[in-house]
Amino acid sequence: MAGKGFTALDASRTWIVYWITHGLALLGDPLEGDDARKCVAFLARCQDASGGFGGGPGQLPHLAPTYATVSALLTPSPPRTPGGSRSASPREPPLPRPPSGAAPYSF
């Protein structure tokens, strides 16, 4: 059980896993090995027998935590070079920079 300061986040545990895995992947240092297996095991405990995922183990399934869980499980890892190192530098920006003097990105 989470401490008093974290009880409000109890239903967001699948989102927290997604935010962490996605953030680490963007930085070029994704979860691997035992840490990745622990995340997958935790997310499996959040799955309801009728389908979908709850925000934490034993919680009712809902679209939002199901989206977060599927997104966390599908977060890609940067490919490795033949020497075993990551091909993307953690210092590279996630989007290419606009040419100098060009307007910033707009979505």
Side-chain angles (χ1 to χ4, degrees), residues 76-105:
S77 298
R80 290 187 178 270
T81 60
S85 63
R86 301 239 178 255
S87 62
S89 165
R91 293 189 179 102
E92 291 177 0
L95 293 173
R97 295 180 189 199
S100 125
Y105 291 108

Side-chain angles (χ1 to χ4, degrees), residues 2 12 17 20 36 38 40 50 61 68 97 99 105:
S12 300
V17 172
I20 291 170
K38 287 178 183 178
V40 170
S50 65
R97 295 180 189 199
Y105 291 108

Side-chain angles (χ1 to χ4, degrees), residues 16-104:
I16 294 169
V17 172
Y18 166 68
W19 294 326
I20 291 170
T21 57
H22 187 69
L24 288 171
L26 288 174
L27 292 170
D29 192 21
L31 288 177
E32 295 178 321
D34 196 41
D35 291 331
R37 283 187 289 278
K38 287 178 183 178
C39 282
V40 170
F42 169 75
L43 293 172
R45 290 189 357 244
C46 297
Q47 187 171 19
D48 190 74
S50 65
F53 292 84
Q59 296 182 10
L60 294 174
H62 186 271
L63 180 60
T66 299
Y67 177 87
T69 301
V70 171
S71 296
L73 293 171
L74 295 177
T75 298
S77 298
R80 290 187 178 270
T81 60
S85 63
R86 301 239 178 255
S87 62
S89 165
R91 293 189 179 102
E92 291 177 0
L95 293 173
R97 295 180 189 199
S100 125

